[in-house]
Amino acid sequence: MQAPGSASTPRRPRNLALGLVDSMTARIRDGQMRAGDKLPTEAAIMSEFGVSRTVVREALSKLQAGGLVETRHGVGTFVVGTGETTNFRIAPEQIATAREVIAVLELRIGLETEAAGLAAVRRSEDNLRAMRKALASFTTAIDENGDALAPDFQFHLEIAKATQNVHFLELMTYLGTMIIPRARLNTAKVAGEGRRDYLRRVNTEHENIVNAIANHDPEAARAAMRTHLANSRERLRRAHEAAGG
């Protein structure tokens, strides 16, 4: 019988995957594989390193999470960076609690308050129509007891577009619908009111933002957006404290 830990003792798949990650990372960082290079196929990696497809896929997943590679479906996996710097990322598991959602709302207050001010100065009539269309969709969702999450996010996305600054739009697009608190928590319950009443109040806050943007009033737009997001933050904070958080 082989002694535990001897050379012929099979390593666990997790260790094999981490070893493969280390090997691939070293190749990327020493320049053997550069940004834009396509990685070998899964079969080729399996053959070279003597590991299973499961191990290869776990390793590629870790490399992707670390910002070193990206997989383009139907094309392959490509090197995108060296991993020397940490890419900004908010994973779904990072916004699973009230405290974590509050942290994202604090980020949004800084980002979207300024976006609203810029939108008030730079918005076009097309931008304004798109915001109002999102508001109308939100109202329809309330009246029909439908899903108001998509039009809520679309509304905020249209404001980012109206800044005419692609970086606001790209960051909001990256964050996606997970930035809307009720995508993670039952915010109507947190607020202590019915869903429809809660959403109507949210949409009234949206209307205040649009009115300020329509009036080319950047300070009013900033104030309306800050109030809207701060209200959500404070409701969650009170509920979190009441629960002993």
Side-chain angles (χ1 to χ4, degrees), residues 13-126:
R14 175 175 171 76
N15 290 338
L16 287 172
L18 291 176
L20 181 53
V21 167
D22 289 343
S23 295
M24 299 295 283
T25 299
R27 290 184 181 185
I28 292 170
R29 289 182 176 167
D30 68 17
Q32 292 182 51
M33 292 190 294
R34 300 178 183 276
D37 287 352
K38 185 177 179 179
L39 267 63
T41 64
E42 289 183 355
I45 296 173
M46 290 164 58
S47 176
E48 179 181 355
F49 290 91
V51 296
S52 69
R53 190 176 301 275
T54 298
V55 169
V56 172
R57 289 182 174 176
E58 181 181 347
L60 292 178
S61 177
K62 291 180 183 300
L63 289 168
Q64 185 162 325
L68 280 78
V69 305
E70 69 174 7
T71 297
R72 302 169 192 167
H73 295 293
V75 180
T77 301
F78 295 80
V79 177
V80 294
T82 64
E84 295 293 348
T85 58
T86 301
N87 292 333
F88 175 79
R89 181 172 180 263
I90 300 177
E93 61 269 20
Q94 291 177 283
I95 46 175
T97 68
R99 182 189 296 275
E100 291 162 345
V101 173
I102 288 168
V104 173
L105 278 168
E106 289 172 348
L107 171 64
R108 289 183 63 197
I109 287 171
L111 173 69
E112 295 191 67
T113 295
E114 184 58 23
L118 291 174
V121 174
R122 300 174 179 174
R123 60 85 177 163
S124 67
E125 288 301 316
D126 284 345

